[in-house]
Amino acid sequence: MLGYILKRLLYAVPVTLAVSIICFSLVQLAPGDPLSVVLPADATQEIVDQTRARYGLDKPLPTQYILWLGNVLQGDLGTSIATGRSVASEIGNAIGYTMSVAVLACLLALALGLALGLVAGYTMGSPMDKIASATAISGVSVPHYWLGIVLVVFFSVKLGWFPAMGAGRSGQSLGDALSFMILPVLTMAAMPAGIITRSVRALVAEKLSQEFVTALRAKGMTGPQIFTHVVKNAAPTALAVIGVQMGYLMAGSILVETVFSWPGTGLLLNNAILTRDIPLLQGTILVLALIFVALNLIVDILQPLFDPRIQRS
């Protein structure tokens, strides 16, 4: 297992390098001048040249990339053009907000997806199956930013139960903090819950139709015992699906966080795009990509724990 982990870590190096090249190139191709954020309209050419040299924008793109990558390897993600603060500190302030919402959304999506998927798989063709499947399809099909707006209109504007946006103030009680998180969590959990439901439903239905289930019933095993065997056989594939969805949630959601003005990495990315803050944009994308790669590695390591037949070497 240790050898497999080291091998996967080595595989992650070229993936991360490719991600860094892509995000650096795409950001550079975006229209507009990033210095327009910090320079007045009447700035002299001398000031423009000095500012461009300060941020390294006067060098060729390959040189800029090599310098940026070298700084990243030393833990320096650069300085935000818009705020003048380090990109690492900007991401550090935002990533905690994203993680808090993402973890709760992951737990909610996992609970709903597994419950609905197991019910639908065991009651294939029944009204319960149709209700669970319709719920899953709705969660996957409805745009999450639109769902967020609907939830704000209904629960915040109409009923006044939850705050419409923001994360509250520092030092607030846990209950107040959770009240700001409920609507973003519900919005972010809808799509992964639907995907997990559909995946688990298909896996359970497939396992129930296999010969080993018939053999277990012939041996006189009860429903709960058969259920345990079915879940064990479906768990590795379900875990892979769940891991991918969790990776998406942990990477944040630009649209959802923008709708709720949630100060996470999604809103940070949105502001960086609007202001064309290249260092902040590059650093945030790179960090989120690394989180996604790390989560997939964790899922690969956990799969053999659920099914010893899976060998990692």
Side-chain angles (χ1 to χ4, degrees), residues 84-268:
R85 294 190 292 267
S86 71
V87 172
S89 65
E90 293 280 5
I91 297 174
N93 293 333
I95 203 166
Y97 287 100
T98 292
M99 290 300 178
S100 61
V101 172
V103 169
L104 291 178
C106 284
L107 295 176
L108 179 60
L110 184 58
L112 288 176
L114 289 177
L116 292 176
L118 289 171
V119 169
Y122 261 90
T123 60
M124 186 74 69
S126 69
M128 287 298 297
D129 175 31
K130 294 178 181 178
I131 293 173
S133 298
T135 303
I137 293 173
S138 299
V140 174
S141 304
V142 173
H144 49 221
Y145 63 88
W146 180 85
L147 176 61
I149 295 173
V150 171
L151 292 178
V152 167
V153 172
F154 186 74
F155 289 104
S156 298
V157 178
K158 296 291 185 182
L159 299 178
W161 289 359
F162 307 113
M165 57 184 61
R169 65 185 186 281
S170 59
Q172 62 187 343
S173 65
L174 178 61
D176 290 338
L178 289 176
S179 67
F180 282 93
M181 299 171 65
I182 289 176
L183 295 185
V185 166
L186 289 175
T187 304
M188 292 181 67
M191 183 178 293
I195 294 174
I196 293 172
T197 298
R198 298 291 294 172
S199 301
V200 172
R201 175 186 180 273
L203 286 170
V204 170
E206 178 191 355
K207 299 304 177 183
L208 287 174
S209 65
Q210 292 182 355
E211 294 181 356
F212 82 92
V213 175
T214 304
L216 293 176
R217 286 173 178 158
K219 290 181 179 180
M221 284 193 175
T222 60
Q225 292 174 316
I226 295 175
F227 173 81
T228 302
H229 283 278
V230 170
V231 170
K232 284 182 178 179
N233 280 270
T237 307
L239 182 64
V241 175
I242 292 168
V244 172
Q245 297 307 312
M246 286 185 175
Y248 287 132
L249 288 178
M250 291 297 183
S253 173
I254 295 179
L255 295 177
V256 172
E257 291 189 3
T258 302
V259 167
F260 293 101
S261 294
W262 187 258
T265 54
L267 186 61
L268 190 68

Side-chain angles (χ1 to χ4, degrees), residues 72-85:
V72 168
L73 293 176
Q74 300 176 43
D76 180 12
L77 297 177
T79 303
S80 169
I81 295 177
T83 64
R85 294 190 292 267

